[in-house]
Each structure stands twice: as structure tokens, then as C-alpha cells.
Amino acid sequence: MKELTKEIIQYIGAVKKEYEKRYHIQILMWTVRKSFLRGLERKTSDLDVVFVFQNLDSKKKKIIFERADRRIELQCWDIQDILEIIAENKRRSLQEKKFFPYYKSNELKHYILDYYHGFYAGWDSALMKDEYGFCQNCGKHIFHLYEPFVVANMLYLDLKGQCKRVEMGYWLSLNEYINAIWSGLAGLHALSNGRPSDTQIRFLAETYLNGEEAKMLLSYVAHFKQTVQKQSNYCNMEALNQMLLDLKLRLEKKMKQFNIQEIDIEKELLDIEGQLKEMRNVYENSSC
């Protein structure tokens, strides 16, 4: 996993303090997401950073999105939105025979994969920063709420969409192939009780593909990371198409066989709320 420079970490830390003051929020943690977390960053890639915050007043904040200097994209997500989404999806996974994801709103639907996999995967990665003890105090409760079946389902929807295009006769770009394959591999990883932060494409390919498939995919990934082009016309597209369709079948089979664990959802939420309240009190007292 590519490490962040000291300069970038200091810059993000300064932005964090500015946001807390400007928006009257407490930023509980921050992490990177997308290409850097997947091992798919290129020379031209933006650094996608997400702040997870709790409000310090009663006024509801929308998702905060800004493009900062140095090709850094910053987003702020409300912990209450995250908790509602993961808790409701856990309830649905236990109650519904045919699972349909809960998005809360159309605005949040755009970010659902990031909420489900970006936050989940970034949680215990080396690129996650936590200054208030949020992860230590709330970690076990949040991971009880996170349902591997739902994580896999969210990733499956991305894979399924690209497989449908392939079945209709469309050729995908190399970027689309790699990210769809990554979704399938990450879904298998979630259902195998794998560590959430083990999301690098090399690890997933070498763990869940056979030797020849992994070698082919990683050679295309290496080429993709060295070029500014995203075309796939130099690739063995028939082999990539077959890999996509095989992953879709493997993920469908594993999802059908997966046993969802029951938990006391309301108790976990109460425990998290108690910890959040305590962290807020400590933060506000220290700011006086």
C-alpha cells in the first residue's frame, strides 16, 4: 500500500482543524478511499480523503465535498448517516428473503458503495487516522453492525452491472474491467471473513484467482497504472469477460450459502451513541 507523505498528512490535518471550526463538527477519523485503498492509483490519480464527523449543533449538515489543492478530493460524512445505513441494512439482511439495499436518500445513494466499502475497508488500514479514540471505543460495535453479506451485496451490484454490459456485447474500458473484477474479489473476501483493509488488488488476485488468472490480471493492472489511457484494446478481452462472468457466479453461490449472524442491533447503537456523547463532551471541554 502506498504511504502518504508527511507533507500530505500535515496538510489534511490542517484542513481537518479548519473544517471543525468552520462547520462546527468533530471529525472522528479520516481515511483514504477508492484507488489508493485498492492499489490502483496512477500518476494522474486524485487522492480521495473522507472525514467522518459528528455534529456539535442541531443543524443537519449535508455531505461536504470540496476539491482541495494538490489534487486532493475531500468529503465529510455524518456518522449518524453511516450508522443508520449500516444498521438498517443489517435489519433487512435478517428479515427479508430477497435483500434490497437501503440507501436512506437519493443523495446518499450516490455514495452507498463508499459508505459500505470505503468506510468499512478504510477502518483498520494503515491510511486511517483517528485522534479522539473513535475507532478504539466504537470499533467492535460498528463491526458487529457491519454485515459481510451486505458488503458483498453492494460489491456484487457493481460487478453485476458490468457483467450485464458484457452479455449485451459491449467492450469495457480497462479501468471498468479492473474495478469490476476488484469488486468481485472484494466481495468474495468479505464473505470469507477476510480482514476489511486487505483490499489491495494484488492481495485479492493472488488469494482468490488461480495462478494464471492472477498473473494476467496483475500484468494489466501494472500497465494501467503506468499509462494515462484507459482503453483495453491491447488486452485479451475474451479472457477478461470470462473472468468477470466466473466471478459473478462464484459470488452468487457464496452469497446463497452464507449464514447471516443475528445481533442485538439496538444495543450496539446505544453503546456507540454513548461513546460518541462522551467523545463530544471531552472535545467541547478541551475547546473551551
Side-chain angles (χ1 to χ4, degrees), residues 23 58 83 85 89-90 100 131 139 167 169 218 278 283-284:
Y23 298 111
S58 58
L83 291 176
I85 287 171
N89 277 290
K90 176 68 175 182
F100 292 98
E131 295 185 20
E167 290 168 339
L218 293 175
E278 184 175 332
Y283 175 79
E284 290 182 321

Side-chain angles (χ1 to χ4, degrees), residues 69-116:
D69 295 334
R70 313 177 196 189
R71 295 209 315 264
I72 298 176
E73 286 192 0
L74 300 166
Q75 289 188 15
C76 291
W77 297 340
D78 190 335
I79 185 61
Q80 294 302 327
D81 287 336
I82 295 175
L83 291 176
E84 180 178 339
I85 287 171
I86 62 177
E88 181 57 26
N89 277 290
K90 176 68 175 182
R91 291 188 191 97
R92 292 187 178 204
S93 69
L94 290 167
Q95 297 169 358
E96 299 178 1
K97 291 184 178 180
K98 188 171 184 180
F99 174 78
F100 292 98
Y102 170 72
Y103 300 111
K104 184 175 179 179
S105 69
N106 288 330
E107 179 188 21
L108 294 179
K109 186 175 182 178
H110 177 71
Y111 299 97
I112 194 69
L113 183 56
D114 285 331
Y115 267 63
Y116 240 88

Side-chain angles (χ1 to χ4, degrees), residues 10-25:
Q10 289 176 340
Y11 175 76
I12 295 173
V15 173
K16 170 185 170 292
K17 292 180 180 178
E18 177 191 341
Y19 277 17
E20 288 185 324
K21 184 176 180 180
R22 185 197 306 175
Y23 298 111
H24 200 211
I25 58 178

Side-chain angles (χ1 to χ4, degrees), residues 23-190:
Y23 298 111
H24 200 211
I25 58 178
Q26 179 188 13
I27 294 176
L28 303 166
M29 61 165 281
W30 65 265
T31 187
V32 302
R33 59 193 187 94
K34 291 189 174 179
S35 60
F36 275 78
L37 208 59
R38 301 177 184 188
L40 296 174
E41 75 283 352
R42 303 189 298 165
K43 294 179 181 179
T44 57
S45 294
D46 293 329
L47 177 64
D48 297 282
V49 176
V50 59
F51 294 122
V52 176
F53 70 88
Q54 67 170 330
N55 276 323
L56 298 179
D57 57 38
S58 58
K59 185 178 180 181
K60 172 66 178 173
K61 308 292 193 305
K62 291 187 176 181
I63 290 174
I64 302 165
F65 173 80
E66 293 184 7
R67 178 175 288 279
D69 295 334
R70 313 177 196 189
R71 295 209 315 264
I72 298 176
E73 286 192 0
L74 300 166
Q75 289 188 15
C76 291
W77 297 340
D78 190 335
I79 185 61
Q80 294 302 327
D81 287 336
I82 295 175
L83 291 176
E84 180 178 339
I85 287 171
I86 62 177
E88 181 57 26
N89 277 290
K90 176 68 175 182
R91 291 188 191 97
R92 292 187 178 204
S93 69
L94 290 167
Q95 297 169 358
E96 299 178 1
K97 291 184 178 180
K98 188 171 184 180
F99 174 78
F100 292 98
Y102 170 72
Y103 300 111
K104 184 175 179 179
S105 69
N106 288 330
E107 179 188 21
L108 294 179
K109 186 175 182 178
H110 177 71
Y111 299 97
I112 194 69
L113 183 56
D114 285 331
Y115 267 63
Y116 240 88
H117 200 270
F119 181 60
Y120 170 81
W123 183 270
D124 66 343
S125 79
L127 299 177
M128 183 275 293
K129 305 297 179 184
D130 167 23
E131 295 185 20
Y132 301 113
F134 170 67
C135 297
Q136 179 181 351
N137 296 326
C138 299
K140 66 178 182 180
H141 305 297
I142 287 179
F143 269 103
H144 287 163
L145 289 174
Y146 262 108
E147 174 51 56
F149 173 83
V150 179
V151 176
N153 189 279
M154 297 291 183
L155 294 162
Y156 170 75
L157 293 176
D158 181 57
L159 172 63
K160 181 181 178 182
Q162 298 295 15
C163 285
K164 185 174 182 180
R165 292 179 62 200
V166 166
E167 290 168 339
M168 293 173 65
Y170 292 100
W171 295 111
L172 308 182
S173 70
L174 182 57
N175 181 46
E176 290 170 328
Y177 274 122
I178 290 174
N179 279 285
I181 290 169
W182 175 87
S183 291
L185 296 173
L188 291 173
H189 184 64

